[in-house]
Amino acid sequence: MSELPRGWALARIDEANGVDGVSTDGDWIESKDQDPNGDVRLIQLQDIGDGTFLNKSARFLTKEKAEELNCTFLNSGDLLVARMPDPLGRACIFPDIGQKAVTAVDVHVWRPGKLSAYPDYIKYCINSPEIRSSLQSQASGTTRQRVAGGKVKAQELPLPPIPEQQRIVRKLDTLNASSAIARTHLSAIAKLVEKYRQAVLERAFNGSLFDENQQRVAFAKPGAELLEDIRAERRLHWLEKERAKKQAKGQKVSDASILKRYKPPETIAEVDCPHDLPANWVWAVADEIVQPGADVVYGIVQPGPKLSEGVPYVRGMDIVDGVIQTSQLLKTSPEIAKKYERASLKGGDILLGIIRATKVAIVPSSIEGANITQGTARFRPSNVISTEFLAYWLASKTAQSWLHSKYRGIDMPGLNLRDVRQLPVPLAPVEVQREIVRRIETAFAKIDRLAAEAEKALKLTDRLDQRILAKAFAGELVAQDPTDEPASALLERIREARSSTPKPKRGRRKKVAT
């Protein structure tokens, strides 16, 4: 502790609570002592925030059991200090909760008595970085760190004159209120980011991101013509494949005869269209707009044991925030991967989770040749649809809602691949797709910058709060009054009163192992 300001003194926590104050740890209470029908609340670590009572726990015991255990009943205005993480040393004032309450063992109770320090000042002081750090440095334990109750009581605090304590608290309360408002607004920005993103995507795929006149590019093929092109290409691809099979067997069959057996993908029904589209757009189904010969498929069912070398494969959990975490991919044997070659990946493929979470990611060229699991579907966009355009559509609220409406199962909801192949996809002119992608990415870049600035400001707010506390306990936050009685005089009276006051006797507590 650096040199104290004029009129200040160092005092132990248990000394600062004055005469007849309480400085004790919560009582030992076993699980069998708790009673959901009890009328005495058991206050726990999770109820204690940084300066705020969180009121989270829901544990109780009866008044008779609390008295039998000789528990200390809490008073409104008691200061509660957490002796365990997270974080260790946080403190708050206990409010009136409308019922009797006791604390768990890892909560230290500081109750002001006669001539005591100002409770709110002690709360702020314990929550300051310097005192918090001091308490944490005294903690011990292997599984979870805990600071002993005796060390909490012996922790020294910088104690100014009582009037100055009150001035400091008033100033901190005012600054904290402003800080809380700023933090609320900044946190709201982070929560709104996904809403903003979805709003952009909604406008992008209903055609309102820019008006129809801007979309009418003279040389652009309308979506309907693109759809007919890819349908013809798919039919030709199938024909060439079947023709090759016949020729390999020495059979001579006309193309017309072969095409009689061709079954095109199902087309979208008018009732399945999620919403209206601009005039030069058209609805297609996912199975129609992928590359011919590269159907929407899932991958490896049983990848086998983890290998240090082999073919990497992507699981749903490997997709985080739209990006495949390539560094954490597991590997399967080349023999197993060969059985699922149909699901082999190329750069620019799109992956969609089909079990539990319908997450979307574009495959980078760095993992070309990798595979996927049964919980992931692969889309390989054809030349009529932009990779980014299709990926953004799959991530949009409209597409996600449609997919979720097809979920099967409760404990592990998943999608049938046939349903995935029937997902409606808006098909716009290719030039319009590119412009939409550009506008989406421009909007997302602005949203990301806003979110980053909000996060940065939130961190700065936390640092500012800590600096304010540091200034408060260095005597630099409020003006000092030379007429204030020095803290040393108060401490001297407390010591004299304590030496002449008999120590109160408490009954023995029932203590059991935790």
Side-chain angles (χ1 to χ4, degrees), residues 378-409:
R378 184 208 66 193
F379 294 74
R380 182 164 294 162
S382 66
N383 57 7
V384 301
I385 192 164
S386 155
T387 295
E388 293 77 13
F389 184 87
L390 179 55
Y392 281 130
W393 166 248
L394 292 173
S396 71
K397 185 176 180 180
T398 303
Q400 290 282 307
S401 296
W402 190 95
L403 290 167
H404 294 171
S405 73
K406 305 296 181 180
Y407 265 152
R408 300 163 188 253

Side-chain angles (χ1 to χ4, degrees), residues 11-18 110 115-117 122 157 159 491 494:
R12 290 165 46 114
I13 285 180
D14 62 346
E15 186 177 36
N17 69 356
W110 185 95
L115 306 176
S116 73
I122 301 299
L157 307 176
L159 208 63
L491 291 175
I494 290 173

Side-chain angles (χ1 to χ4, degrees), residues 180-195:
I181 292 172
R183 192 175 282 105
T184 297
H185 289 313
L186 291 170
S187 298
I189 291 174
K191 294 176 182 177
L192 288 172
V193 163
E194 185 56 30
K195 288 185 178 180

Side-chain angles (χ1 to χ4, degrees), residues 354-425:
I354 57 174
I355 294 180
R356 286 202 179 99
T358 48
K359 296 183 285 187
V360 180
I362 296 176
V363 175
S365 57
S366 61
I367 61 168
E368 189 155 325
N371 213 295
I372 54 177
T373 62
Q374 188 181 19
T376 312
R378 184 208 66 193
F379 294 74
R380 182 164 294 162
S382 66
N383 57 7
V384 301
I385 192 164
S386 155
T387 295
E388 293 77 13
F389 184 87
L390 179 55
Y392 281 130
W393 166 248
L394 292 173
S396 71
K397 185 176 180 180
T398 303
Q400 290 282 307
S401 296
W402 190 95
L403 290 167
H404 294 171
S405 73
K406 305 296 181 180
Y407 265 152
R408 300 163 188 253
I410 299 174
D411 295 334
M412 189 181 291
L415 292 166
N416 185 295
L417 202 58
R418 184 181 183 281
D419 290 329
V420 175
R421 290 169 175 163
Q422 291 301 301
L423 170 69
V425 177

Side-chain angles (χ1 to χ4, degrees), residues 17 46 64-65 134 141 157-158 231 288 370 458 475 499 505 507:
N17 69 356
Q46 61 182 300
E64 292 73 23
K65 177 58 71 173
S134 175
L157 307 176
R231 285 172 175 171
E288 291 185 294
L458 204 53
S499 64
K505 293 183 179 180

